[in-house]
Amino acid sequence: MIPCVRLFRTPVGRAALCLTIAWGACPARATAQVYIGRNIPHTGSVEVSGGGTLSGGYDLGSISAEETRNPGVGTGPFVLFTATSRAKPAFGLQGRLGVFVAQSASLEAGIQFARPTLSSKLSGDAESALDVTATETLTRLVVDGSLVLHLTGLSFAGGKGVPFVLGGGGYIRELHEKNEVIETGREYHAGAGLHLWFGQGKHRLGLRTDVGVSVRNGGADIGDTKHTVPTAGASLAYLF
């Protein structure tokens, strides 16, 4: 029998062999520890995205033009005509910046820009004039913040597809044509979406899609009421 083989058959030899293997494994483990927590996303990872958005149309309420009646012909105001307004669906642009506070949660700031059409129908004219509809184009800016929860437990395609849910609130600023009138409001939103990443490295490019609802109050709203607006978006995203 070869002498070294006979040595490893003894208790001392076996102990020496175990120590040798353990010693050889230590540098590899130490090297691996340097990269623990560096796979993305991790705390401190950043996601930047930009693309298009669609917001649904909604009614803005009605208002009547009135004047005081002659006391001899009745009580209450005399209605000259009624105006009913509606904001039409609008495509826009959006950009978002998110910072991960945990592997599955991020805080996100966003900005949206759109040019929706506002239509106002004048009807019920006291002098029986025909109904008429007037339109104008608004300039809408929405600045918001969201908490995004990434559902990593539901990921698929080797971790490239990651669903998420989000919720938050924001500020609405709407300018009428010629920027002569500025109106502001608030919005609160919730939704769900999907990230589809094209790679698995430390820097990833991907596609982000989402749908949701936005509850809005204020802005170009003659009725001063809350409106529930469906929303959808699609963007290119970069994670690093």
Side-chain angles (χ1 to χ4, degrees), residues 95-233:
R96 296 193 173 276
L97 174 66
V99 178
F100 280 74
V101 295
Q103 188 176 22
S104 59
S106 61
L107 295 177
E108 191 172 75
I111 185 168
Q112 301 176 31
F113 174 84
R115 298 267 292 167
T117 299
L118 176 65
S119 64
S120 297
K121 181 179 180 181
L122 307 181
S123 61
D125 187 86
E127 298 180 353
S128 300
L130 294 177
D131 294 349
V132 62
T133 299
T135 62
E136 67 167 322
T137 301
L138 301 176
T139 299
R140 177 186 295 158
L141 186 68
V142 180
V143 179
D144 62 33
S146 305
L147 170 64
V148 185
L149 299 179
H150 305 266
L151 307 180
T152 55
L154 300 178
S155 62
F156 57 92
K160 293 182 179 180
V162 184
F164 64 87
V165 294
L166 61 85
Y171 165 83
I172 301 173
R173 179 184 176 92
E174 293 182 325
L175 287 76
H176 290 262
E177 281 190 1
K178 299 180 181 179
N179 299 336
E180 294 177 349
V181 179
I182 300 174
E183 300 187 81
T184 61
R186 300 180 303 276
E187 71 90 35
Y188 304 93
H189 58 268
L194 175 68
H195 280 110
L196 185 60
W197 301 110
F198 303 143
Q200 293 182 328
K202 294 182 180 179
H203 296 222
R204 300 180 190 175
L205 184 66
L207 177 65
R208 167 184 172 141
T209 58
D210 59 80
V211 294
V213 292
S214 174
V215 179
R216 301 180 178 182
N217 186 19
D221 182 2
I222 59 177
D224 194 25
T225 56
K226 292 183 179 179
H227 310 282
T228 300
V229 183
T231 62

Side-chain angles (χ1 to χ4, degrees), residues 20-65:
T20 301
I21 295 174
W23 180 262
C26 285
R29 169 176 281 184
T31 301
Q33 287 178 342
V34 175
Y35 298 97
I36 290 178
R38 293 187 178 272
N39 291 329
I40 60 172
H42 57 78
T43 302
S45 289
V46 176
E47 178 188 338
V48 180
S49 63
T53 183
L54 170 65
S55 59
Y58 54 95
D59 293 326
L60 293 171
S62 299
I63 190 171
S64 298

